[in-house]
Amino acid sequence: MHDSRRRSTQYSGPETRSLTARLALYAAVLVGAAIMLFPFLWTVITSITPEGSLADGPTLIVDNPTLGAYRTLVDALPIWRIVLNSLGVAVASTAFQLVTGSMAAYGFARLHFPLKNVVFGFYLATLMVPLQVLVVPLFIEMKTLNLQDTYFALLAPTIASAFGVFLLRQAVSAVPLELDEAATIDGAGHLRIFTTIVLPLIRPALATVAVFAFMGSWNSFLWPLVVIRSPEFMTLPLGLSTLQGQFTTQWDVVMAGSVVSIVPIAIVYLLAQRHIIAGVAHTGIK
């Protein structure tokens, strides 16, 4: 009997320590989630606070919540037109990056041509060039082609993405070559292999690139600020910047616009969350 008690004590020790470690991990995750979500919660609360201000610091209690800031936002800006502009440009930019990125990734991963690795290296080197350096030559190009203040001007710099090509190339390289060889024996060419074999197998990576491309276009501010002058082509970040006055700012209205800008990104991420995790894990991006 004493031996059985001693063995039960020995086995319960590690289990207890393991349970304690799991509880501590869950508590740390909850604290981290609360810290990450607090700015968004504060934004929502400020947007429904009458004459909300940032000077008094964060507060989670609203005495008389109201949607007046959202009504003011609709009256101050053609908000639905602006949202549609941002949505259309973001969707088009995402579609172009998926098409160009996946085709270039297939070429770099499967085709053989002279100086392939050198070309790929130079292509990746463009990741180190910030947009601020390219703004002036891009604007001169748009002005020379008489394309400034158009939807195409908003879209042009984001048609292709070096990061998307790199991520998708990693995914295509992970697809077994035996599948290509089997399809080639059956008479399939590169186009059929690309569309029927490679693309279905790299869907997680495509979803990851799609979310990054959508977020990058949706949050873009500098390039629309440079190339757009007419209100009818204004995107959401550019429109929200007009809400800040020179001397006073209605922060509840600004926060209402921020909520409008955050919601689509949150929806896109939640819908593609599973694919993003799978894509990042599959391609080895840390």
Side-chain angles (χ1 to χ4, degrees):
M1 181 178 297
H2 292 290
D3 293 339
S4 62
R5 290 180 179 177
R6 188 179 299 110
R7 286 194 298 268
S8 63
T9 304
Q10 292 175 352
Y11 287 118
S12 62
E15 293 178 358
T16 303
R17 287 195 295 271
S18 177
L19 178 60
T20 303
R22 286 200 300 270
L23 291 177
L25 178 61
Y26 293 153
V29 170
L30 289 175
V31 171
I35 294 174
M36 295 291 291
L37 290 175
F38 179 77
F40 177 70
L41 182 61
W42 184 19
T43 300
V44 175
I45 291 176
T46 304
S47 70
I48 61 175
T49 302
E51 298 181 358
S53 174
L54 303 182
D56 300 332
T59 179
L60 300 180
I61 301 175
V62 182
D63 294 331
N64 300 305
T66 177
L67 297 178
Y70 292 90
R71 289 191 290 268
T72 303
L73 178 66
V74 173
D75 295 336
L77 292 174
I79 189 64
W80 302 121
R81 173 66 181 268
I82 292 175
V83 170
L84 288 177
N85 287 343
S86 291
L87 185 62
V89 172
V91 170
S93 173
T94 301
F96 274 116
Q97 289 190 36
L98 289 178
V99 173
T100 59
S102 60
M103 295 177 69
Y106 180 84
F108 282 121
R110 288 294 195 261
L111 303 183
H112 300 282
F113 53 88
L115 302 177
K116 180 177 71 172
N117 293 332
V118 175
V119 173
F120 185 67
F122 277 115
Y123 198 66
L124 288 184
T126 61
L127 289 172
M128 296 184 290
V129 182
L131 177 62
Q132 290 82 353
V133 177
L134 302 175
V135 163
V136 173
L138 283 174
F139 177 76
I140 294 175
E141 182 180 0
M142 293 296 106
K143 186 173 179 61
T144 303
L145 298 174
N146 197 25
L147 293 174
Q148 76 275 16
D149 207 22
T150 62
Y151 288 120
F152 182 80
L154 289 171
L155 185 62
T158 60
I159 289 178
S161 167
F163 173 76
V165 173
F166 168 72
L167 188 68
L168 293 175
R169 178 184 179 273
Q170 299 297 104
V172 174
S173 299
V175 177
L177 284 172
E178 290 78 5
L179 298 177
D180 295 22
E181 295 170 356
T184 303
I185 293 174
D186 291 337
H190 286 295
L191 181 60
R192 185 176 177 184
I193 293 173
F194 172 69
T195 56
T196 62
I197 296 177
V198 173
L199 285 183
L201 293 177
I202 63 170
R203 281 181 298 180
L206 290 172
T208 304
V209 173
V211 172
F212 285 141
F214 188 91
M215 291 177 60
S217 178
W218 184 267
N219 295 324
S220 178
F221 173 74
L222 178 60
W223 177 244
L225 178 65
V226 171
V227 80
I228 294 300
R229 291 291 179 268
S230 303
E232 59 265 25
F233 298 113
M234 193 177 294
T235 57
L236 196 54
L238 194 57
L240 295 181
S241 67
T242 63
L243 296 176
Q244 299 187 26
Q246 183 177 1
F247 301 105
T248 61
T249 299
Q250 294 179 279
W251 286 111
D252 53 340
V253 180
V254 174
M255 292 301 180
S258 299
V259 172
V260 173
S261 68
I262 291 172
V263 169
I265 290 291
I267 293 175
V268 170
Y269 180 79
L270 290 175
L271 291 176
Q273 181 181 12
R274 178 170 58 88
H275 296 292
I276 292 174
I277 295 173
V280 172
H282 184 67
T283 54
I285 302 300
K286 302 297 182 184

